[in-house]
Amino acid sequence: MTPLTGFATMYRERETLSLRTRLLFTFGAVAALHLAAVVLLLVGTTGGAQPLGLGLVITAYAAGIKHSYDWDHIAAIDNSTRKFVAQHKDPVSVGFAFSLGHSSVVILTGLLVVAGATLIGQFMEDGTTGNKVLGLIGSGVSGLFLLAMGLFNGSAFVRASQVYRYVQRGGEVRPEDLEAKGFVARLLAKPLSKVERPRNIYVIGFLFGLGFDTATTIGLLVITTTASLAGVSPLALMALPLAFTAAMTLCDSVNGVTMMKMYKSAIHDPRRKLGFNAVITGISAVSALFIAVITLGGFINSAFELEDPLTTWLGSIDLGDAGLILVGLFVLVWAVSARRPPQR
């Protein structure tokens, strides 16, 4: 068996691998993206080519870190992880898959810009038809996905709250009590069944990225570099979107694994963590529904060119910094729950 065949076999049977092995594969892929960005930068600046400013690469990397903490990223990764954990799975690669899908738009845009494709300018210029169409696709898909996940986890929150009150009165906890049930869960079971594995989140992440918020950032960096530094090789220029991708996949992967560990703690020690499970699931549901309302409000405003104050306001909200608040809230609730002694 050749190494390539062995790797393909291992990939097909990845769900039977240990948690540690899958974590190594996930973060090994993240490390490979970092290495690829460094190699492109070094190779692209040898042989007398005009060097690419290190500050621009660092700027692209920092932009990837910042974007990974946008509220829509956190809400999508958190709610998806909650769904898989409730099904007794170990979704170690949810954050990586979502981020890689999102970053694929960035890399594709960078390739087109470096190749000199003028058509990409239409997609990155505000107000143009191409920008509007792709923006509507991205916001429509992300809004509907987060709405579905918010409703699904909202149903789980109602069930978890009922179980918590039951246990507080002396009842026993069963493993199935931590799974989402009820009318909403049954209603969404079929559409959400398409998202059966963490790798399915790649497509969701790609469609999220069609709004061209991240692609615009990298596209402008590439265009600025091309205009200001004559003679920079295409390989060096591609280090920018790869640096952005490496940073975003690293942070999203860490976020996804952290969420998985928090939710699994609620399942493996349910009596001690049941209150945490209810609260954190409620936060997940509210955050997803909150982002869904804002995203779909902006979608409706842009699609129908409305001028009413409500959808205009929803479309103007910037959620770029709010994700850090959400992450902090998750960590705070988990820390308080972890310190609380088990109740007898």
Side-chain angles (χ1 to χ4, degrees), residues 70-76 79 136 138-152 188 208 283-301 310-311 313-315 317 319 326:
D70 279 6
W71 201 319
D72 59 341
H73 274 238
I74 300 299
N79 279 265
L136 288 175
S139 60
V141 169
S142 61
L144 290 174
F145 177 75
L146 287 174
L147 178 63
M149 294 305 300
L151 291 174
F152 182 86
L188 295 173
F208 267 46
I283 294 174
S284 300
V286 170
S287 64
L289 293 173
F290 178 64
I291 301 301
V293 169
I294 293 175
T295 304
L296 293 176
F299 171 85
I300 293 172
N301 179 267
L310 178 59
T311 60
W313 173 68
L314 290 173
I317 294 178
L319 298 171
L326 185 59

Side-chain angles (χ1 to χ4, degrees), residues 6-342:
F7 183 82
T9 302
M10 185 178 296
Y11 177 78
R12 287 193 299 269
E13 299 175 353
R14 58 193 174 279
E15 293 182 6
T16 64
L17 300 176
S18 67
L19 178 62
R20 181 178 180 180
T21 301
R22 281 181 286 158
L23 282 170
L24 288 174
F25 270 105
T26 297
F27 286 98
V30 173
L33 288 172
H34 281 75
L35 180 61
V38 173
V39 169
L40 281 178
L41 179 61
L42 294 177
V43 172
T45 54
T46 57
Q50 181 71 32
L52 178 65
L54 182 61
L56 289 174
V57 178
I58 295 175
T59 300
Y61 193 86
I65 294 175
K66 180 181 183 299
H67 191 76
S68 69
Y69 287 98
D70 279 6
W71 201 319
D72 59 341
H73 274 238
I74 300 299
I77 293 170
D78 166 64
N79 279 265
S80 301
T81 300
R82 174 66 179 82
K83 173 183 180 293
F84 290 127
V85 171
Q87 296 170 347
H88 302 281
K89 298 177 181 178
D90 294 320
V92 298
S93 59
V94 166
F96 177 78
F98 178 89
S99 188
L100 192 62
H102 208 68
S103 302
S104 295
V105 179
V106 178
I107 295 175
L108 179 60
T109 303
L111 284 170
L112 292 175
V113 172
V114 170
T118 57
L119 180 63
I120 199 64
Q122 178 188 11
F123 297 135
M124 293 191 296
E125 184 178 348
D126 287 338
T128 61
T129 301
N131 179 273
K132 183 175 181 179
V133 169
L134 289 182
L136 288 175
I137 294 174
S139 60
V141 169
S142 61
L144 290 174
F145 177 75
L146 287 174
L147 178 63
M149 294 305 300
L151 291 174
F152 182 86
N153 284 335
S155 176
F157 166 71
V158 172
R159 177 62 182 170
S161 299
Q162 292 172 343
V163 174
Y164 179 71
R165 290 194 296 268
Y166 172 72
V167 171
Q168 289 294 91
R169 295 193 296 266
E172 292 294 327
V173 184
R174 298 168 299 178
E176 59 269 22
D177 286 333
L178 295 175
E179 298 181 7
K181 296 182 180 180
F183 173 75
V184 174
R186 290 196 299 270
L187 181 67
L188 295 173
K190 187 172 183 179
L192 291 182
S193 65
K194 302 298 182 182
V195 187
E196 296 179 349
R197 301 287 185 274
R199 63 180 179 272
N200 300 141
I201 302 297
Y202 173 88
V203 178
I204 301 296
F206 184 87
L207 294 174
F208 267 46
L210 289 180
F212 266 75
D213 49 355
T214 56
T216 301
T217 302
I218 296 302
L220 291 177
L221 282 172
V222 175
I223 292 173
T224 301
T225 305
T226 305
S228 61
L229 298 175
V232 175
S233 72
L235 288 178
L237 290 175
M238 283 308 301
L240 292 172
L242 268 181
F244 182 96
T245 298
M248 190 159 64
T249 53
L250 174 61
C251 294
D252 280 345
S253 296
V254 171
N255 291 340
V257 172
T258 302
M259 296 296 178
M260 179 193 72
K261 288 186 175 295
M262 286 197 298
Y263 286 130
K264 284 178 71 65
S265 71
I267 287 181
H268 292 319
D269 192 0
R271 181 174 291 278
R272 183 173 181 176
K273 304 293 184 177
L274 195 57
F276 155 76
N277 185 63
V279 172
I280 207 77
T281 303
I283 294 174
S284 300
V286 170
S287 64
L289 293 173
F290 178 64
I291 301 301
V293 169
I294 293 175
T295 304
L296 293 176
F299 171 85
I300 293 172
N301 179 267
S302 179
F304 298 101
E305 299 181 348
L306 302 178
E307 298 181 357
D308 66 289
L310 178 59
T311 60
T312 301
W313 173 68
L314 290 173
S316 65
I317 294 178
D318 182 9
L319 298 171
D321 298 322
L324 289 173
I325 300 175
L326 185 59
V327 171
L329 188 58
F330 282 133
V331 173
L332 177 62
V333 173
W334 179 81
V336 171
S337 174
R339 290 174 61 86
R340 183 175 300 172

